Amino acid sequence: MAVEVRVPSMLQKFTDGEKKVQLESANIGELLATLESSYPGIGNQLMEDGELRRFVNIYLNDEDIRFLDGMETSLSDGDVLAILPALAGGAA
Amino acid sequence: MSVKVYIPTPFRKITGNRTFVDAEGIDVNGVLRDLDQRFPGFGEMVFDGEQELLEHVNVYVNNHEITSLQGAETPVADGDEMAVIPALAGGAGAAMTPEMVERYSRHLIMDQVGPLGQRKLIDGKILAVGAGGLGSPVLVYLAAAGIGTIGVADFDVVDRSNLQRQIIHGTSDIGRLKVDSAKDRILDMNPNINVVTHTSPLTSDNAMEIIPEYDVIINGADNFATRYLVNDAAFLAEKILVDGSIFLFEGQVTTFFPGEGCYRCLYPSPPPPGMVPSCSEAGVLGVLPGTVGAIQATEAIKVLLEQGEPLKNRLLLYDALAMDFRTVKIRRDPQCPLCGDAPTVTELIDYEEFCGSPFHEN
């Protein structure tokens, strides 16, 4: 399934500055593996021991995957995935 | 002369719930008499026993208060708009002064605010955590809106590198405590505000003394330790929390209502130190906190007014480069250690240890 992944500015250094990348995968877990093989290094930012890090959320079409089927959540053509890490900045 | 008269909520029971009514007269006095004829009981609401306009009622002709014109003898022309605004609101509460009625006039003539709403703002107590990038616009707009009690918590001093974005401070404030600089600016904007400054860093020892004093908490902290501390304290004190954060060109804002989800539901634990760069390491577009802070202030004011739809169970994502606003759904996590079904965090903890980082990043 062809899906669009929106990359936060914090991680765009791994995607040559691209904000959006197109990938093919059947589910979220596969997609994250594909993301790492396409953009080495990004996976470690998102995952730890096969689990999504607890300060990173992934939204499939604006729904948190934790409330779908997590890594097993299946994908459809045209889905949009957003990666959202916690931000601390208040600009003190 | 036929004029259109705005009737505020407290008088609408007399006008059959109509917001605008037509009336005739050559001057303000004549129009008010005509209204009394059309709507029996109206006169008693605006005139005293001597048939003089009551002191707590302000009348506007085309948005000008009539004491600045010719008082009750102010002439009116066809098509003029009048508004009759009682300064008393909220039952036995104190009257607004004429200065306040003029200052808040653009609020007072709005259906969604009006004298009752303005009274809610005046009675409101809001704490801004941080008087920096986010805190600056938050504090200026809260002061302008007339929030009666504004708390400012920050222990830092103004640095020249702050002035690229922290619009509440000026060049002459460099080296001063941010809370002092912010207080001066707030009182210059609006001397009616009671400003409470908190100069000690917020910690697990003092947060439960400070946060319960307010109705709404606005989080503009610059580090994860304070962000989790404020989240936990706001939940434990049952306060509404408007959370905002920024990075480079991106912002996130949401409003947490106690028991309906919290920052820990959204992000169960912080990133390890050094993994996510801070603004001081990576930079931030100076105007970005202006947009995000203004949204936080909007949320807090809406909450006090009990108007509209807050960002409840929604996370607003702002991308200044793409100029894109989106919301994603967020929800309470039953597994949340703070607000879940079996909480393990029932009092404030050691947040520097939890985050592996200090309360301040500089």
Side-chain angles (χ1 to χ4, degrees):
Chain A
M1 303 301 160
V3 300
E4 175 183 303
V5 181
R6 297 191 175 170
V7 183
S9 47
M10 203 177 288
L11 300 179
Q12 286 167 15
K13 63 186 175 204
F14 295 100
T15 58
D16 304 323
E18 291 297 323
K19 298 171 73 82
K20 297 175 182 177
V21 300
Q22 306 287 336
L23 292 173
E24 294 262 348
S25 288
N27 64 33
I28 301 274
E30 251 181 53
L31 181 112
L32 292 175
T34 310
L35 191 65
E36 168 65 17
S37 58
S38 307
Y39 305 101
I42 198 168
N44 183 47
Q45 301 287 316
L46 305 175
M47 313 274 291
E48 189 174 23
D49 303 329
E51 295 285 326
L52 202 58
R53 289 179 180 270
R54 287 161 68 82
F55 61 91
V56 176
N57 287 335
I58 292 183
Y59 294 85
L60 173 63
N61 303 327
D62 300 345
E63 184 70 82
D64 191 330
I65 63 162
R66 288 183 295 163
F67 299 107
L68 299 170
D69 296 324
M71 291 296 177
E72 310 297 319
T73 306
S74 56
L75 298 169
S76 307
D77 273 334
D79 277 347
V80 177
L81 219 75
I83 301 171
L84 281 182
L87 304 180
Chain B
M1 304 301 163
S2 179
V3 301
K4 183 190 274 190
V5 184
Y6 169 79
I7 305 295
T9 319
F11 292 172
R12 269 180 224 156
K13 57 182 181 287
I14 298 171
T15 62
N17 272 329
R18 289 161 64 193
T19 307
F20 287 96
V21 299
D22 295 317
E24 304 268 337
I26 56 164
D27 59 13
V28 166
N29 192 48
V31 171
L32 295 175
R33 304 281 164 202
D34 185 50
L35 284 170
D36 188 41
Q37 293 289 315
R38 291 168 191 250
F39 305 106
F42 184 86
E44 290 170 35
M45 306 290 281
V46 297
F47 293 117
D48 64 15
E50 310 294 315
Q51 297 299 301
E52 296 285 326
L53 204 54
L54 288 165
E55 283 189 352
H56 70 261
V57 174
N58 286 71
V59 178
Y60 296 79
V61 175
N62 298 331
N63 281 333
H64 292 282
E65 213 278 318
I66 58 168
T67 53
S68 67
L69 303 170
Q70 296 166 48
E73 280 79 50
T74 302
V76 293
D78 269 337
D80 277 354
E81 287 194 3
M82 272 176 55
V84 184
I85 310 284
L88 272 175
M96 274 186 242
T97 63
E99 190 269 351
M100 292 158 94
V101 171
E102 184 179 5
R103 174 183 293 274
Y104 304 130
S105 61
R106 298 302 187 279
H107 271 168
L108 297 175
I109 59 175
M110 288 171 69
D111 271 353
Q112 298 85 346
V113 184
L116 282 172
Q118 188 64 49
R119 172 54 58 188
K120 291 178 185 172
L121 300 182
I122 291 168
D123 290 341
K125 298 176 181 175
I126 301 183
L127 173 68
V129 177
L134 293 172
S136 286
V138 163
L139 290 165
V140 171
Y141 276 113
L142 294 184
I147 305 305
T149 301
I150 298 178
V152 190
D154 202 309
F155 62 90
D156 210 355
V157 295
V158 179
D159 183 84
R160 194 178 302 274
S161 67
N162 298 152
L163 301 178
Q164 163 254 20
R165 63 198 176 281
Q166 298 184 17
I167 57 168
I168 204 167
H169 312 298
T171 305
S172 61
D173 296 313
I174 291 171
R176 295 181 73 202
L177 279 170
K178 286 185 177 178
V179 293
D180 290 341
S181 166
K183 181 176 182 175
D184 287 353
R185 177 76 184 102
I186 290 168
L187 292 177
D188 187 37
M189 170 65 89
N190 189 343
N192 301 302
I193 308 295
N194 171 33
V195 184
V196 183
T197 57
H198 303 282
T199 314
S200 302
L202 271 185
T203 64
S204 301
D205 293 330
N206 62 18
M208 290 309 283
E209 289 161 23
I210 294 171
I211 284 177
E213 297 297 311
Y214 298 90
D215 304 317
V216 180
I217 315 300
I218 299 186
N219 205 350
D222 66 343
N223 61 83
F224 282 108
T226 307
R227 201 164 284 279
Y228 281 92
L229 165 68
V230 171
N231 175 70
D232 293 3
F235 172 77
L236 294 172
E238 300 182 354
K239 302 299 178 181
I240 294 165
L241 173 63
V242 183
D243 192 273
S245 54
I246 52 176
F247 182 75
L248 296 178
F249 291 94
E250 293 172 24
Q252 303 181 359
V253 189
T254 186
T255 301
F256 295 116
F257 287 72
E260 301 189 54
C262 74
Y263 190 75
R264 285 175 182 267
C265 298
L266 181 59
Y267 296 113
S269 56
M275 184 133 192
V276 174
S278 67
C279 290
S280 55
E281 293 160 346
V284 60
L285 187 71
V287 67
L288 178 73
T291 306
V292 174
I295 292 168
Q296 289 182 281
T298 309
E299 285 287 286
I301 288 168
K302 278 163 52 190
V303 163
L304 288 183
L305 288 175
E306 301 169 280
Q307 286 284 341
E309 306 294 327
L311 284 168
K312 185 163 89 174
N313 299 126
R314 291 186 293 155
L315 176 65
L316 176 71
L317 308 173
Y318 170 52
D319 180 338
L321 269 189
M323 198 45 82
D324 180 47
F325 287 88
R326 285 184 301 136
T327 56
V328 294
K329 292 177 198 160
I330 61 177
R331 54 187 84 185
R332 174 177 169 272
D333 181 357
Q335 309 291 320
C336 175
L338 180 69
C339 73
D341 295 339
T344 53
V345 177
T346 54
E347 57 183 19
L348 299 180
I349 61 170
D350 182 338
Y351 294 89
E352 297 195 333
E353 188 194 5
F354 176 62
C355 296
S357 60
F359 279 118
H360 200 59
E361 290 176 344
N362 283 353

